[in-house]
Amino acid sequence: MALKRMDNVGIVVEDLEGTIEFFRELGLALEGKATIGGEWAGRVTGLGDQHVEIAMMRTPDGHSRLELSRFLTPPIVADHRNAPVNSLGYLRVMFTVDDISETLERLRTRGAQLVGEVVDYEDVYRLCYIRGPGGLLIGLAQELG
Protein backbone atom coordinates (compact mmCIF):
# COMPACT_ATOMS: atom_id res chain seq x y z
CA MET A 1 0.00 0.00 0.00
CA ALA A 2 1.37 3.41 -1.00
CA LEU A 3 1.36 6.62 0.98
CA LYS A 4 -1.55 8.78 -0.19
CA ARG A 5 -0.60 12.26 1.07
CA MET A 6 0.59 14.30 4.02
CA ASP A 7 -2.51 15.75 5.68
CA ASN A 8 -0.98 18.45 7.88
CA VAL A 9 1.83 19.66 10.07
CA GLY A 10 0.86 20.26 13.70
CA ILE A 11 2.27 22.96 15.95
CA VAL A 12 1.47 23.50 19.63
CA VAL A 13 1.06 27.20 20.44
CA GLU A 14 0.30 29.34 23.48
CA ASP A 15 -1.71 32.10 21.75
CA LEU A 16 -4.09 30.44 19.31
CA GLU A 17 -5.86 33.60 18.11
CA GLY A 18 -2.64 35.57 17.62
CA THR A 19 -1.06 32.68 15.73
CA ILE A 20 -4.13 32.33 13.50
CA GLU A 21 -3.90 36.03 12.62
CA PHE A 22 -0.17 35.72 11.90
CA PHE A 23 -0.72 32.85 9.45
CA ARG A 24 -3.69 34.68 7.89
CA GLU A 25 -1.34 37.60 7.23
CA LEU A 26 1.05 35.16 5.59
CA GLY A 27 -1.77 34.00 3.30
CA LEU A 28 -3.23 30.86 4.89
CA ALA A 29 -6.99 30.57 5.31
CA LEU A 30 -8.72 29.39 8.45
CA GLU A 31 -10.66 26.22 7.59
CA GLY A 32 -12.15 25.81 11.03
CA LYS A 33 -11.72 25.69 14.77
CA ALA A 34 -12.77 23.06 17.27
CA THR A 35 -12.28 21.95 20.84
CA ILE A 36 -11.12 18.36 21.14
CA GLY A 37 -11.26 16.36 24.31
CA GLY A 38 -12.31 13.21 25.94
CA GLU A 39 -11.15 9.67 26.39
CA TRP A 40 -10.81 8.84 22.67
CA ALA A 41 -8.49 11.81 22.02
CA GLY A 42 -6.27 10.87 24.95
CA ARG A 43 -5.98 7.33 23.63
CA VAL A 44 -4.64 8.67 20.31
CA THR A 45 -2.05 11.01 21.86
CA GLY A 46 -1.23 9.00 24.96
CA LEU A 47 -1.98 12.05 27.14
CA GLY A 48 -5.03 10.64 28.89
CA ASP A 49 -7.79 13.14 29.60
CA GLN A 50 -6.87 16.02 27.32
CA HIS A 51 -8.64 19.21 26.31
CA VAL A 52 -7.23 21.12 23.34
CA GLU A 53 -8.38 23.93 21.07
CA ILE A 54 -7.34 23.48 17.45
CA ALA A 55 -7.43 25.57 14.31
CA MET A 56 -6.85 24.16 10.84
CA MET A 57 -5.20 26.54 8.37
CA ARG A 58 -5.01 25.85 4.61
CA THR A 59 -2.44 27.10 2.11
CA PRO A 60 -3.73 29.07 -0.91
CA ASP A 61 -3.12 26.14 -3.28
CA GLY A 62 -5.34 23.93 -1.11
CA HIS A 63 -2.75 21.14 -0.89
CA SER A 64 -1.23 21.75 2.56
CA ARG A 65 -2.60 22.34 6.02
CA LEU A 66 -1.22 23.58 9.30
CA GLU A 67 -2.93 22.42 12.50
CA LEU A 68 -2.45 24.81 15.41
CA SER A 69 -3.14 23.36 18.86
CA ARG A 70 -3.46 25.08 22.23
CA PHE A 71 -3.51 22.57 25.08
CA LEU A 72 -5.73 23.49 28.00
CA THR A 73 -5.14 20.16 29.79
CA PRO A 74 -2.72 18.61 30.35
CA PRO A 75 -0.36 21.60 30.53
CA ILE A 76 2.54 21.97 28.11
CA VAL A 77 5.57 20.15 29.53
CA ALA A 78 8.54 21.15 27.35
CA ASP A 79 9.68 24.15 25.36
CA HIS A 80 12.41 23.89 22.72
CA ARG A 81 11.75 27.21 20.93
CA ASN A 82 15.03 28.75 22.06
CA ALA A 83 17.13 25.75 21.04
CA PRO A 84 19.41 26.26 18.04
CA VAL A 85 18.02 25.19 14.67
CA ASN A 86 20.41 22.22 14.50
CA SER A 87 18.77 20.57 17.55
CA LEU A 88 17.38 17.08 17.03
CA GLY A 89 13.67 17.10 16.32
CA TYR A 90 13.54 20.85 15.81
CA LEU A 91 10.44 22.03 13.97
CA ARG A 92 10.54 24.46 11.05
CA VAL A 93 7.81 25.08 8.49
CA MET A 94 8.78 26.48 5.06
CA PHE A 95 6.47 28.49 2.81
CA THR A 96 7.04 29.73 -0.75
CA VAL A 97 6.01 33.37 -1.22
CA ASP A 98 5.87 35.75 -4.19
CA ASP A 99 8.06 38.44 -2.62
CA ILE A 100 10.11 37.92 0.55
CA SER A 101 10.69 41.65 1.16
CA GLU A 102 6.97 42.46 0.98
CA THR A 103 6.08 39.42 3.10
CA LEU A 104 8.63 40.38 5.77
CA GLU A 105 7.20 43.92 5.92
CA ARG A 106 3.67 42.57 6.50
CA LEU A 107 4.73 39.93 9.03
CA ARG A 108 6.86 42.36 11.04
CA THR A 109 3.61 44.17 11.92
CA ARG A 110 2.60 40.87 13.58
CA GLY A 111 5.89 40.54 15.49
CA ALA A 112 8.00 38.50 13.05
CA GLN A 113 11.75 38.82 13.48
CA LEU A 114 14.38 37.88 10.92
CA VAL A 115 16.66 35.13 12.32
CA GLY A 116 19.73 35.63 10.14
CA GLU A 117 19.79 37.27 6.73
CA VAL A 118 17.83 37.08 3.50
CA VAL A 119 20.14 35.20 1.11
CA ASP A 120 20.09 34.10 -2.52
CA TYR A 121 20.80 30.44 -3.23
CA GLU A 122 22.39 29.87 -6.67
CA ASP A 123 20.04 32.33 -8.43
CA VAL A 124 17.21 29.83 -7.78
CA TYR A 125 15.75 30.89 -4.42
CA ARG A 126 15.81 33.83 -2.03
CA LEU A 127 15.56 32.35 1.48
CA CYS A 128 15.25 33.42 5.09
CA TYR A 129 14.16 32.19 8.49
CA ILE A 130 11.91 34.24 10.75
CA ARG A 131 10.61 33.84 14.27
CA GLY A 132 6.84 34.09 14.36
CA PRO A 133 4.32 34.02 17.23
CA GLY A 134 5.73 32.50 20.38
CA GLY A 135 9.13 32.03 18.73
CA LEU A 136 7.98 29.61 16.01
CA LEU A 137 10.66 29.09 13.37
CA ILE A 138 9.31 29.69 9.87
CA GLY A 139 11.20 29.54 6.58
CA LEU A 140 10.32 31.71 3.61
CA ALA A 141 11.40 30.96 0.05
CA GLN A 142 10.99 33.09 -3.07
CA GLU A 143 11.62 31.49 -6.43
CA LEU A 144 13.97 33.58 -8.58
CA GLY A 145 14.14 33.89 -12.32
Side-chain angles (χ1 to χ4, degrees):
M1 182 171 185
L3 177 72
K4 288 184 172 184
R5 67 180 173 270
M6 184 180 81
D7 284 326
N8 65 65
V9 172
I11 301 176
V12 176
V13 301
E14 289 178 301
D15 177 4
L16 186 61
E17 293 304 319
T19 306
I20 289 169
E21 290 309 312
F22 180 89
F23 283 110
R24 274 187 170 153
E25 186 68 42
L26 183 57
L28 278 72
L30 178 65
E31 275 193 344
K33 291 171 55 176
T35 300
I36 307 294
E39 181 265 337
W40 73 268
R43 287 194 349 252
V44 172
T45 62
L47 294 175
D49 187 26
Q50 70 179 34
H51 191 86
V52 60
E53 296 175 327
I54 66 164
M56 191 65 74
M57 309 286 299
R58 178 181 26 81
T59 57
D61 65 2
H63 295 293
S64 301
R65 286 172 179 69
L66 187 63
E67 181 180 309
L68 306 173
S69 302
R70 183 172 87 91
F71 278 82
L72 304 171
T73 56
I76 298 169
V77 296
D79 187 346
H80 68 275
R81 291 174 293 181
N82 292 320
V85 298
N86 61 341
S87 299
L88 290 175
Y90 201 88
L91 175 65
R92 185 259 306 139
V93 180
M94 176 74 73
F95 296 99
T96 300
V97 298
D98 289 329
D99 183 326
I100 279 186
S101 298
E102 184 270 334
T103 302
L104 284 172
E105 284 180 38
R106 286 188 298 107
L107 294 179
R108 281 186 175 126
T109 67
R110 301 242 179 235
Q113 297 178 336
L114 191 61
V115 171
E117 300 176 32
V118 177
V119 298
D120 289 354
Y121 172 72
E122 296 184 357
D123 297 324
V124 178
Y125 288 103
R126 180 163 290 134
L127 303 164
C128 71
Y129 281 179
I130 60 173
R131 291 277 179 190
L136 296 176
L137 186 62
I138 299 163
L140 300 176
Q142 174 185 338
E143 296 171 321
L144 300 174

